[in-house]
Amino acid sequence: MRRTSFVLQGLALVIGCLVLSGNALAQAPSAIQIFMPNGGMPSRAIALVIVRDDGTRDLVYTDSGGKYRVPTPRSQSVHYTVTIAGDTQTFATTVASFTIDRSSPNQMNVFLNPLLAEKRPTDAVLDVATFEGNVPAKARTAYKRAMDSISNGQLENAAGNLQQAITIYPQYVRALNDLGVVYLKLDRLDEAAATLRQAIEINKRFFHPRMNLGIVLTRQGKYREALEILEPLCNENRGMLEVRLVYAKALEGAGEFANAAKLYRATLESKNLSPKARANMYLGLGVLANRQGKFAEAAALLEEAVALDETAKSHLHLGLALMQLQQPEKAERELLRAYELAGNSAGAAQLMLGHIYYKQRRFAEAQRAFEQYLKDVPYAPDAPEITQLIAELKTKKN
């Protein structure tokens, strides 16, 4: 038993770093179709910032006709907020929100806002497109090639074309921002940070590069640096859910649990918060409580999250809390549900199931769970210990 106790040490921190990928979603024919202010179709790829109710944020691109296919959940609805940054020439910044589920129509139409000559960006938030009126045609052409490459999933090609656009016009802040995001997607974090800093230097109030740099620094574990970027951004944009979530994650990483919890609880008091967003606040509070060893409090918070919006991550963290509360049957149920919802994206559920089965002397099931964990998370930091534990389990079975 001593070996399994050793492997369990720090489990809350391992699970706290889990990121669920899009494998939890099934591809469906739903799509976002962008229309120009005059009702016509775009003639180029359009950049979209998509935020789901769980706070997940991504920069994506439509095809050259303005269409972007979105993943639809297998058994639940997802609320999306889509922001299309204005290009200062043909349309203004546009924000649209809608919910997509399996019964949704095949196409969600978004009509871009027309430009208004009298409207100017505020001092607090400047869009990355604000100062691009002087971009040379060759730089725009390279940028368009990059957008086409991103639409086709060719990120390395996109990076090359964005670099070319920036070489032609070093002040091309939109290209700098998007190159930083491409580097982030490629996990080239140092290059992403350097590129986004270049964009910010052009104008220190640009919203998107600052937000993206905060995300990159958090991913790098440079939480204090991330807070220097995100704290003023959050103060300027207190109503933006995505800013609050990124800021809270950086606070959590920096060990400022009380401030992170305060931010989550303040957001819960918002009147127009959707059930999914509310569930995500309870999830954040539950994860914090788990990390602080307040397992009973964590279980109560995570049960609230599951009741509002059943997600694999909520079940996973609830299973962890119940394990620590010595409630193995309930924990097993939550972990099995997490894995059912997300598959190998929730591979950590198999790790915890393995420990539950080991303690219950269900050695064959423990072995299968640990083996599945190593398949799902091949680069797990605890892989050597788990491999040795599997070898011991084979001996016990024999």
Side-chain angles (χ1 to χ4, degrees):
M1 285 297 197
R2 281 181 296 178
R3 174 169 294 280
T4 189
S5 297
F6 171 75
V7 176
L8 272 170
Q9 290 179 1
L11 186 59
L13 292 177
V14 174
I15 305 305
C17 295
L18 178 72
V19 176
L20 296 175
S21 75
N23 292 343
L25 300 174
Q27 294 296 324
S30 296
I32 299 170
Q33 176 62 59
I34 304 298
F35 290 90
M36 302 301 289
N38 63 4
M41 295 284 216
S43 59
R44 57 181 172 84
I46 302 291
L48 314 176
V49 176
I50 297 183
V51 181
R52 293 199 294 269
D53 259 351
D54 63 2
T56 305
R57 176 183 182 277
D58 203 4
L59 173 66
V60 300
Y61 296 86
T62 69
D63 62 20
S64 58
K67 179 173 286 189
Y68 174 73
R69 298 193 180 278
V70 294
T72 299
R74 296 188 178 101
S75 59
Q76 60 186 7
S77 62
V78 172
H79 185 78
Y80 293 92
T81 299
V82 178
T83 302
I84 304 101
D87 65 356
T88 74
Q89 295 185 358
T90 53
F91 62 88
T93 297
T94 305
V95 179
S97 298
F98 41 80
T99 299
I100 295 181
D101 55 31
R102 296 190 68 84
S103 63
S104 297
N106 288 348
Q107 184 167 296
M108 306 293 174
N109 297 329
V110 177
F111 288 83
L112 297 174
N113 293 330
L115 286 172
L116 298 176
E118 71 277 10
K119 193 169 183 179
R120 293 290 184 267
T122 66
D123 288 338
V125 180
L126 292 182
D127 182 79
V128 294
T130 303
F131 295 115
E132 292 188 1
N134 297 323
V135 178
K138 288 185 178 180
R140 291 185 183 277
T141 300
Y143 182 85
K144 183 180 183 304
R145 287 198 302 268
M147 298 305 99
D148 292 340
S149 294
I150 290 174
S151 298
N152 295 325
Q154 300 170 339
L155 294 182
E156 293 288 357
N157 286 345
N161 283 307
L162 288 168
Q163 289 165 352
Q164 182 181 358
I166 294 163
T167 299
I168 296 169
Y169 186 63
Q171 299 296 105
Y172 203 165
V173 67
R174 181 190 290 272
L176 284 164
N177 176 73
D178 292 356
L179 180 58
V181 174
V182 169
Y183 284 148
L184 174 61
K185 289 176 179 290
L186 292 170
D187 204 32
R188 293 161 60 176
L189 300 182
D190 290 342
E191 292 168 278
T195 303
L196 291 166
R197 289 186 194 279
Q198 282 183 258
I200 294 169
E201 280 302 313
I202 294 173
N203 190 294
K204 298 184 186 302
R205 294 199 305 274
F206 279 135
F207 172 78
H208 289 99
R210 294 163 69 196
M211 180 78 170
N212 291 327
L213 180 58
I215 293 170
V216 170
L217 292 170
T218 301
R219 281 271 300 273
Q220 290 178 305
K222 298 177 180 179
Y223 303 114
R224 290 295 170 189
E225 288 185 61
L227 291 176
E228 291 178 6
I229 299 291
L230 294 170
E231 183 174 2
L233 195 65
C234 189
N235 290 335
E236 294 164 11
N237 306 278
R238 288 189 176 277
M240 295 186 68
L241 178 62
E242 61 173 320
V243 179
R244 288 182 172 220
L245 287 174
V246 174
Y247 183 42
K249 292 297 181 186
L251 286 169
E252 181 182 339
E256 296 189 23
F257 297 145
N259 287 333
K262 183 179 178 181
L263 192 56
Y264 284 132
R265 293 190 184 280
T267 305
L268 276 172
E269 295 174 3
S270 301
K271 293 181 179 179
N272 298 321
L273 205 63
S274 69
K276 287 181 180 293
R278 192 171 298 278
N280 200 50
M281 297 305 107
Y282 280 117
L283 171 61
L285 288 168
V287 171
L288 282 173
N290 263 343
R291 293 192 63 180
Q292 294 173 288
K294 302 175 181 179
F295 301 115
E297 179 183 340
L301 290 164
L302 292 163
E303 284 170 354
E304 292 276 4
V306 169
L308 286 165
D309 180 30
E310 189 183 23
T311 66
K313 197 168 184 180
S314 295
H315 282 290
L316 185 73
H317 287 279
L318 179 55
L320 172 61
L322 293 169
M323 277 182 68
Q324 302 294 341
L325 293 171
Q326 304 302 313
Q327 299 180 35
E329 290 78 15
K330 290 183 178 180
E332 179 185 8
R333 182 172 64 247
E334 298 299 328
L335 296 169
L336 288 172
R337 181 57 177 156
Y339 200 77
E340 179 184 353
L341 287 171
N344 59 9
S345 298
Q350 293 293 340
L351 172 64
M352 290 187 279
L353 286 167
H355 288 300
I356 290 173
Y357 298 148
Y358 188 98
K359 284 190 173 183
Q360 295 175 335
R361 302 185 67 80
R362 296 157 64 180
F363 296 134
E365 291 170 272
Q367 180 184 331
R368 285 196 295 272
F370 286 136
E371 288 173 342
Q372 187 62 50
Y373 168 65
L374 293 182
K375 288 180 182 177
D376 294 341
V377 193
Y379 301 108
D382 55 355
E385 292 91 340
I386 298 300
T387 300
Q388 186 173 349
L389 192 53
I390 290 170
E392 291 180 11
L393 285 167
K394 291 179 178 178
T395 301
K396 290 180 183 293
K397 284 201 309 179
N398 294 333

